[in-house]
Amino acid sequence: MSNEKNLSIQSLARQNVRELTPYQSARRLGGNGDVWLNANEYPIAPQFELTAQTFNRYPECQPALVIERYAAYAGLENDQVLVSRGADEGIELLIRAFCEPGKDAILYCPPTYGMYSVSAETIGVEGRTVQAKEDWSLDLPAIEAALEGVKLVYVCSPNNPTGNLIDPAELRAVLEMTRGRAIVAIDEAYIEFCPQASVTGWLKEYPHLAILRTLSKAFALAGLRCGFTLANSELIALLMKVIAPYPLSTPVADIAAQALSDEGLAIMRARVAEIGETRAWLKQQLTRCDCVEQVFTSETNYVLARFTASSQVFKTLWDQGIILRDQNKQPGLSGCLRITVGTHEECRRVIAALQPLPGAGQTAASPDKNTAPSKEPM
Ligand SMILES: *Cc1c(COP(=O)(O)O)cnc(C)c1O
């Protein structure tokens, strides 16, 4: 009975943790690139100065000014807003508040963001998938058929990594079929790039709707770790029960409040406009590259494209210090790479690196290809 000695740390761990594959974050993937276009970050660091100095005191759990400003920005009441350590923490809080480990399930529709499954696995909750259709619309009958035991449905719109918005009629259909049964979390991490598509106005109609937001993308503050969950006050109160007592440090709350000031919002909107222009240029240039088969429509700060030999393309750019995100392993995304819209100069370098690469059946780039047809299926 004395096998304690042989008890490895591995075998002490929870089974679901032993089996876990950690999220492949951009930084973990390494590489020694100088053009980082793999994590949908903004390429230039915004400048802030700390105003708060009370570091001897614990911070507020839900810093009042941050909540007030985000509520005003989103057009909601203060009690409809929860601030957390990134939207990623919001994803996890929802599972912890609503899903019984070993019993309940979450549902999501690949290809999509990787943290829904990682959080579910970590907590010991089943991650059920219903693959999106070929045009990336939701497979509504399949979702309805898979709802048994599901407490939480994640829908990402605009979707990462595909870049498309989910049709509002489909979002409504999911909200109707889950009424009284499950929470629907709409991940709006990129909504600042298409603000008219936000579903915040639907909160009046759906008590089981939660919306995830972040300062990491359009606000250019991925390093701050600050995100939001928007929902009716009853749902927010439940999340408040499971959140850590001090989820945001004092400097984070200080900078978040500044980013959400009138001036901060104006800067964010100007940044969104600039990224939109660079994205249009990047898309147009990509369609002219021989090695590019398809460029997908994007409402975000990244572009997904399908390449004739994506592993080779990825490696070629990697060797030149340009780091993209390989989406080749996601269901339905064979040959696809995701490119963050960086500075104009960074995008120019991507195109310069892609231009010499051959297309299917070619051995070298053909010289005249300015009559490339539009490669957008949607
Ligand atoms: C980046 C991203 C997040 C995470 O945002 P953080 O606030 O940085 O944790 C959540 N969802 C999607 C779809 C994202 O792309």
Side-chain angles (χ1 to χ4, degrees), residues 270-283:
R271 186 184 294 127
V272 165
E274 170 220 298
I275 291 170
E277 283 172 28
T278 312
R279 181 183 70 205
W281 182 87
L282 176 66
K283 274 184 62 179

Side-chain angles (χ1 to χ4, degrees), residues 215-281:
L215 298 188
S216 296
K217 309 292 163 49
F219 285 89
L221 290 170
L224 192 64
R225 309 309 302 127
C226 187
F228 298 86
T229 305
L230 313 176
N232 285 298
S233 57
E234 194 184 354
L235 200 161
I236 295 293
L238 281 165
L239 299 181
M240 281 296 293
K241 288 186 171 187
V242 295
I243 198 168
Y246 314 110
L248 305 192
S249 70
T250 301
V252 170
D254 185 357
I255 292 169
Q258 295 179 47
L260 293 165
S261 67
D262 289 340
E263 191 195 350
L265 293 176
I267 293 169
M268 179 275 287
R269 290 185 178 114
R271 186 184 294 127
V272 165
E274 170 220 298
I275 291 170
E277 283 172 28
T278 312
R279 181 183 70 205
W281 182 87

Side-chain angles (χ1 to χ4, degrees), residues 86-88 91 113 116 156 160 187 189-190 214 216-217 225-226:
D88 282 351
I91 290 169
Y113 186 53
Y116 314 134
C156 190
N160 180 3
D187 189 337
Y190 299 94
T214 180
S216 296
K217 309 292 163 49
R225 309 309 302 127
C226 187

Side-chain angles (χ1 to χ4, degrees), residues 130 149 298:
V130 172
S298 171

Side-chain angles (χ1 to χ4, degrees), residues 22 46 100 192 202 277 308 328 359:
E100 202 79 67
E192 282 79 13
W202 298 5
E277 283 172 28
T308 48
N328 191 49

